[in-house]
Amino acid sequence: MLIVTKSTGDKIIDLFLYFIMFVIMLITLYPFWTQVVISLDGGGTAGSAYSTGIVLFPSKFTLSSYKLAFQYDALWSGYLHTIYRTVLGVLLSVTFTAITAYPLAKRQLPGNRIFTGIILFTMLFGGGLIPSYLLIQELGLYNTIWALVIPGMIGAFNVMIVRNFFRNIPDELEESAVVDGAGYGAIFIRIVLPLSKPVLATIALWVGVGHWNAWFDSMIYIADPSRQVLQVVLRKIILENNTSDLSIIMQTMNQQSEFTGRQLQSTIIMFSIIPMLIVYPFVQKYFVKGVMVGAVKG
């Protein structure tokens, strides 16, 4: 067995790199940890978080703010619409991105460069907000879930990533399937898609996070407050201080003295973050391979 001995200089460099990574980890995790502490604090931490600048542990542990949030109907309505939007958006985006990228992966496709150029053109130029709004209205999509998932269903960057991944699949696999009598549809479904799990999972992660965090299009295209997504509900609470419903619930529970607006905001922020934290580890194993292989120039 080969044993590699590091020199003193290499060890110093390794220690320096570990230190840099540790600092980056703290900078990344601290804002998240602050929200956790404030949401669980039943004492003075929530009020002093921005006066002291450093919050490590709650002064008085309590789950009362989470019990309160569970009774906030707008939160659960936003949750349901966000989940519905994310699941529908991911399914449509991954499906149509793969269908678009597969023929572009064939160099012998007539007009391949023209079609690729048209798709890339959309990365550089857009119609603008007002034409997009008018188009949504004319198509009858206003105030429907389709206004949130159809406009961004196919992204040019995602198409290029998936196309390059498809081009790295050996042609011999498809040729052998053709010899056995399989058509392009069967080849695509039975051979290409199963081999493309890494890049499809990567695209699903990107699209899913985008839909989960999106709020601007919902604020513009959804007029019914009961159909708004979770991020719009969160925005109203944080920016517009829309806590009237929560105040009513607090009075009903006879717990108004235990809460601050900042604590309630942090609690709802945690509700919006937790689902992505649960999903991400299951997709992470595909992420690096999907990005690296799909980013290779085809």
PDB file of all heavy atoms in Angstrom, residues 122-136:
ATOM      1  N   THR A 122     -33.711  33.051 -26.270  1.00  0.00           N
ATOM      2  CA  THR A 122     -34.579  33.383 -25.140  1.00  0.00           C
ATOM      3  C   THR A 122     -33.794  33.637 -23.857  1.00  0.00           C
ATOM      4  O   THR A 122     -34.342  34.197 -22.896  1.00  0.00           O
ATOM      5  CB  THR A 122     -35.592  32.253 -24.888  1.00  0.00           C
ATOM      6  OG1 THR A 122     -34.890  31.045 -24.531  1.00  0.00           O
ATOM      7  CG2 THR A 122     -36.417  31.992 -26.135  1.00  0.00           C
ATOM      8  N   MET A 123     -32.525  33.215 -23.801  1.00  0.00           N
ATOM      9  CA  MET A 123     -31.692  33.507 -22.638  1.00  0.00           C
ATOM     10  C   MET A 123     -31.243  34.961 -22.631  1.00  0.00           C
ATOM     11  O   MET A 123     -30.914  35.508 -21.572  1.00  0.00           O
ATOM     12  CB  MET A 123     -30.458  32.596 -22.619  1.00  0.00           C
ATOM     13  CG  MET A 123     -30.761  31.127 -22.418  1.00  0.00           C
ATOM     14  SD  MET A 123     -29.259  30.107 -22.381  1.00  0.00           S
ATOM     15  CE  MET A 123     -28.430  30.758 -20.921  1.00  0.00           C
ATOM     16  N   LEU A 124     -31.220  35.580 -23.798  1.00  0.00           N
ATOM     17  CA  LEU A 124     -30.698  36.944 -23.924  1.00  0.00           C
ATOM     18  C   LEU A 124     -31.790  37.994 -23.989  1.00  0.00           C
ATOM     19  O   LEU A 124     -31.595  39.131 -23.559  1.00  0.00           O
ATOM     20  CB  LEU A 124     -29.824  37.043 -25.183  1.00  0.00           C
ATOM     21  CG  LEU A 124     -28.673  36.040 -25.284  1.00  0.00           C
ATOM     22  CD1 LEU A 124     -27.956  36.194 -26.613  1.00  0.00           C
ATOM     23  CD2 LEU A 124     -27.703  36.217 -24.128  1.00  0.00           C
ATOM     24  N   PHE A 125     -32.945  37.624 -24.522  1.00  0.00           N
ATOM     25  CA  PHE A 125     -34.017  38.606 -24.722  1.00  0.00           C
ATOM     26  C   PHE A 125     -35.336  38.044 -24.201  1.00  0.00           C
ATOM     27  O   PHE A 125     -35.640  36.861 -24.367  1.00  0.00           O
ATOM     28  CB  PHE A 125     -34.155  38.963 -26.209  1.00  0.00           C
ATOM     29  CG  PHE A 125     -32.901  39.520 -26.810  1.00  0.00           C
ATOM     30  CD1 PHE A 125     -32.030  38.700 -27.516  1.00  0.00           C
ATOM     31  CD2 PHE A 125     -32.567  40.862 -26.667  1.00  0.00           C
ATOM     32  CE1 PHE A 125     -30.865  39.196 -28.074  1.00  0.00           C
ATOM     33  CE2 PHE A 125     -31.412  41.366 -27.215  1.00  0.00           C
ATOM     34  CZ  PHE A 125     -30.549  40.537 -27.932  1.00  0.00           C
ATOM     35  N   GLY A 126     -36.126  38.919 -23.589  1.00  0.00           N
ATOM     36  CA  GLY A 126     -37.453  38.545 -23.099  1.00  0.00           C
ATOM     37  C   GLY A 126     -38.480  39.587 -23.507  1.00  0.00           C
ATOM     38  O   GLY A 126     -38.136  40.702 -23.911  1.00  0.00           O
ATOM     39  N   GLY A 127     -39.737  39.229 -23.387  1.00  0.00           N
ATOM     40  CA  GLY A 127     -40.797  40.135 -23.808  1.00  0.00           C
ATOM     41  C   GLY A 127     -41.034  41.277 -22.853  1.00  0.00           C
ATOM     42  O   GLY A 127     -41.614  42.296 -23.235  1.00  0.00           O
ATOM     43  N   GLY A 128     -40.631  41.115 -21.589  1.00  0.00           N
ATOM     44  CA  GLY A 128     -40.889  42.155 -20.608  1.00  0.00           C
ATOM     45  C   GLY A 128     -42.117  41.841 -19.770  1.00  0.00           C
ATOM     46  O   GLY A 128     -42.923  40.959 -20.100  1.00  0.00           O
ATOM     47  N   LEU A 129     -42.282  42.568 -18.685  1.00  0.00           N
ATOM     48  CA  LEU A 129     -43.343  42.283 -17.732  1.00  0.00           C
ATOM     49  C   LEU A 129     -44.732  42.601 -18.283  1.00  0.00           C
ATOM     50  O   LEU A 129     -45.654  41.782 -18.174  1.00  0.00           O
ATOM     51  CB  LEU A 129     -43.110  43.073 -16.444  1.00  0.00           C
ATOM     52  CG  LEU A 129     -44.156  42.893 -15.344  1.00  0.00           C
ATOM     53  CD1 LEU A 129     -44.258  41.429 -14.928  1.00  0.00           C
ATOM     54  CD2 LEU A 129     -43.815  43.767 -14.140  1.00  0.00           C
ATOM     55  N   ILE A 130     -44.894  43.767 -18.896  1.00  0.00           N
ATOM     56  CA  ILE A 130     -46.231  44.174 -19.366  1.00  0.00           C
ATOM     57  C   ILE A 130     -46.728  43.259 -20.484  1.00  0.00           C
ATOM     58  O   ILE A 130     -47.872  42.779 -20.432  1.00  0.00           O
ATOM     59  CB  ILE A 130     -46.217  45.647 -19.811  1.00  0.00           C
ATOM     60  CG1 ILE A 130     -45.951  46.551 -18.600  1.00  0.00           C
ATOM     61  CG2 ILE A 130     -47.549  46.032 -20.467  1.00  0.00           C
ATOM     62  CD1 ILE A 130     -45.861  48.020 -18.925  1.00  0.00           C
ATOM     63  N   PRO A 131     -45.939  42.976 -21.538  1.00  0.00           N
ATOM     64  CA  PRO A 131     -46.421  42.014 -22.554  1.00  0.00           C
ATOM     65  C   PRO A 131     -46.723  40.642 -21.969  1.00  0.00           C
ATOM     66  O   PRO A 131     -47.690  39.998 -22.385  1.00  0.00           O
ATOM     67  CB  PRO A 131     -45.253  41.960 -23.554  1.00  0.00           C
ATOM     68  CG  PRO A 131     -44.535  43.259 -23.383  1.00  0.00           C
ATOM     69  CD  PRO A 131     -44.643  43.568 -21.926  1.00  0.00           C
ATOM     70  N   SER A 132     -45.914  40.195 -21.007  1.00  0.00           N
ATOM     71  CA  SER A 132     -46.169  38.890 -20.389  1.00  0.00           C
ATOM     72  C   SER A 132     -47.490  38.902 -19.628  1.00  0.00           C
ATOM     73  O   SER A 132     -48.279  37.952 -19.701  1.00  0.00           O
ATOM     74  CB  SER A 132     -45.027  38.520 -19.432  1.00  0.00           C
ATOM     75  OG  SER A 132     -43.804  38.425 -20.128  1.00  0.00           O
ATOM     76  N   TYR A 133     -47.754  39.994 -18.936  1.00  0.00           N
ATOM     77  CA  TYR A 133     -49.017  40.117 -18.184  1.00  0.00           C
ATOM     78  C   TYR A 133     -50.210  40.118 -19.132  1.00  0.00           C
ATOM     79  O   TYR A 133     -51.212  39.433 -18.885  1.00  0.00           O
ATOM     80  CB  TYR A 133     -48.985  41.396 -17.356  1.00  0.00           C
ATOM     81  CG  TYR A 133     -50.223  41.629 -16.527  1.00  0.00           C
ATOM     82  CD1 TYR A 133     -50.354  41.049 -15.273  1.00  0.00           C
ATOM     83  CD2 TYR A 133     -51.268  42.426 -16.999  1.00  0.00           C
ATOM     84  CE1 TYR A 133     -51.485  41.254 -14.504  1.00  0.00           C
ATOM     85  CE2 TYR A 133     -52.404  42.637 -16.242  1.00  0.00           C
ATOM     86  CZ  TYR A 133     -52.509  42.053 -14.992  1.00  0.00           C
ATOM     87  OH  TYR A 133     -53.639  42.248 -14.238  1.00  0.00           O
ATOM     88  N   LEU A 134     -50.097  40.865 -20.221  1.00  0.00           N
ATOM     89  CA  LEU A 134     -51.197  40.912 -21.196  1.00  0.00           C
ATOM     90  C   LEU A 134     -51.406  39.552 -21.857  1.00  0.00           C
ATOM     91  O   LEU A 134     -52.552  39.150 -22.118  1.00  0.00           O
ATOM     92  CB  LEU A 134     -50.904  41.975 -22.258  1.00  0.00           C
ATOM     93  CG  LEU A 134     -50.855  43.431 -21.754  1.00  0.00           C
ATOM     94  CD1 LEU A 134     -50.460  44.369 -22.890  1.00  0.00           C
ATOM     95  CD2 LEU A 134     -52.194  43.841 -21.150  1.00  0.00           C
ATOM     96  N   LEU A 135     -50.306  38.855 -22.129  1.00  0.00           N
ATOM     97  CA  LEU A 135     -50.417  37.533 -22.740  1.00  0.00           C
ATOM     98  C   LEU A 135     -51.114  36.546 -21.796  1.00  0.00           C
ATOM     99  O   LEU A 135     -51.973  35.770 -22.232  1.00  0.00           O
ATOM    100  CB  LEU A 135     -49.027  37.009 -23.102  1.00  0.00           C
ATOM    101  CG  LEU A 135     -48.975  35.611 -23.727  1.00  0.00           C
ATOM    102  CD1 LEU A 135     -49.738  35.588 -25.051  1.00  0.00           C
ATOM    103  CD2 LEU A 135     -47.531  35.171 -23.934  1.00  0.00           C
ATOM    104  N   ILE A 136     -50.754  36.590 -20.519  1.00  0.00           N
ATOM    105  CA  ILE A 136     -51.397  35.710 -19.535  1.00  0.00           C
ATOM    106  C   ILE A 136     -52.902  35.975 -19.489  1.00  0.00           C
ATOM    107  O   ILE A 136     -53.718  35.037 -19.432  1.00  0.00           O
ATOM    108  CB  ILE A 136     -50.772  35.909 -18.145  1.00  0.00           C
ATOM    109  CG1 ILE A 136     -49.330  35.395 -18.119  1.00  0.00           C
ATOM    110  CG2 ILE A 136     -51.601  35.212 -17.070  1.00  0.00           C
ATOM    111  CD1 ILE A 136     -49.194  33.921 -18.332  1.00  0.00           C
TER     112      ILE A 136
END
